[in-house]
């Protein structure tokens, strides 16, 4: 288990799964929030992670692609975009007592209010992640597990904006109340490894 955290610089979400866990490769679900950040803004975080990786594994991570980040390449041209994509994902796990530990990252808006949204790719956000140094099957590595996000500019999944449908703002009409979503205990951080069957 990791006791180290990192706050990544403001970036753009890449295929996130933050409201509903992705079950394509893991039956219990995986929450993901890969984030694309300009290399210049990402350098400090990369240096910190490189130092932790070297301390844990005995060697520096491969710069172009490793368990913590990869350099972003334009899908059409194959050229570097000048950005780095931090890889952030965390698996739900089954406790030994049979209960599911849902590790959905907490969400906050730009004013630090808790929210319950479904951000899509392109959302601008900050990610707070646990730095997980692992040792499995004779291999060692370091991974980033998202614990919370702060949404600065939201692109909601399947959610074209109201003006895209030709609507305009009207004064004096119905206005939805601000979200007051409460989290409960869905993102515990202090646990014992023996509490789980599979981590």
């Amino acid at each position: 288990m990791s006791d180290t955290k990192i706050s990544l610089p403001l970036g753009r979400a890449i295929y996130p799964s933050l409201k509903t866990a992705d079950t394509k490769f893991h039956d219990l679900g995986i929450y993901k929030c890969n984030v694309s950040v300009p290399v210049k803004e990402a350098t400090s975080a990369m240096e910190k992670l490189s130092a932790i990786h070297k301390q844990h594994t005995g060697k520096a991570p491969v710069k172009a692609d490793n368990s913590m980040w990869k350099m972003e390449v334009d899908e059409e041209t194959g050229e570097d975009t000048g950005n780095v994509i931090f890889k952030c994902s965390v698996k739900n796990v089954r406790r030994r007592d049979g209960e599911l530990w849902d590790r959905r990252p907490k969400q906050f808006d730009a004013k630090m209010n808790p929210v319950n949204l479904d951000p899509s790719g392109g959302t601008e956000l900050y990610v707070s992640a646990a730095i997980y140094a692992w040792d499995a099957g004779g291999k060692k590595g370091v991974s980033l597990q998202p614990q919370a996000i702060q949404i600065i500019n939201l692109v909601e999944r399947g959610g074209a904006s109201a003006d895209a449908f030709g609507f305009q703002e009207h004064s004096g009409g119905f206005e939805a109340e601000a979200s007051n979503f409460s989290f409960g205990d869905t993102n515990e951080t202090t646990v014992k490894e023996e509490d789980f069957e599979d981590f």
Side-chain angles (χ1 to χ4, degrees):
M1 296 292 294
S2 171
D3 58 359
T4 307
K5 296 181 181 180
I6 189 168
S7 294
L8 298 175
L10 180 66
R12 175 176 48 87
I14 307 290
Y15 301 117
S17 296
L18 287 164
K19 185 172 184 179
T20 303
D22 184 350
T23 58
K24 185 175 182 180
F25 298 109
H26 182 61
D27 289 344
L28 298 179
I30 301 174
Y31 291 104
K32 300 181 294 184
C33 190
N34 290 355
V35 58
S36 173
V37 178
V39 171
K40 184 177 180 180
E41 281 77 18
T43 299
S44 178
M46 293 168 73
E47 289 175 349
K48 177 179 179 178
L49 292 170
S50 292
I52 293 171
H53 186 279
K54 188 170 184 178
Q55 181 180 20
H56 179 63
T57 68
K59 56 185 179 181
V62 177
K63 186 176 180 181
D65 192 355
N66 57 64
S67 59
M68 302 170 290
W69 73 74
K70 66 179 179 180
M71 304 311 293
E72 187 177 49
V73 175
D74 187 285
E75 294 180 359
E76 294 182 1
T77 66
E79 297 180 357
D80 283 344
T81 64
N83 295 343
V84 58
I85 297 176
F86 288 101
K87 303 174 182 179
C88 302
S89 66
V90 64
K91 293 180 179 180
N92 287 334
V93 293
R94 183 75 63 188
R95 299 179 188 274
R96 292 194 182 280
D97 62 8
E99 291 295 316
L100 177 69
W101 180 23
D102 188 334
R103 304 174 75 187
R104 183 164 72 95
K106 295 180 180 179
Q107 301 180 17
F108 300 90
D109 66 15
K111 302 296 184 183
M112 299 195 295
N113 301 304
V115 292
N116 179 26
L117 301 169
D118 193 10
S120 185
T123 295
E124 291 184 324
L125 44 67
Y126 291 99
V127 177
S128 176
I131 303 173
Y132 179 59
W134 48 268
D135 188 344
K139 295 183 178 181
K140 292 184 176 182
V142 176
S143 300
L144 302 179
Q145 300 179 336
Q147 294 185 321
I149 63 166
Q150 183 181 26
I151 299 168
I152 305 303
N153 288 304
L154 174 68
V155 177
E156 194 157 12
R157 194 176 307 282
S161 61
D163 56 4
F165 290 101
F167 296 131
Q168 59 185 357
E169 187 173 334
H170 294 275
S171 61
F174 167 76
E175 182 177 356
E177 293 182 7
S179 171
N180 190 27
F181 180 73
S182 178
F183 286 102
D185 299 325
T186 61
N187 196 42
E188 303 168 53
T189 56
T190 305
V191 294
K192 296 180 180 179
E193 199 158 346
E194 58 267 26
D195 289 341
F196 308 109
E197 293 180 353
D198 175 27
F199 195 78

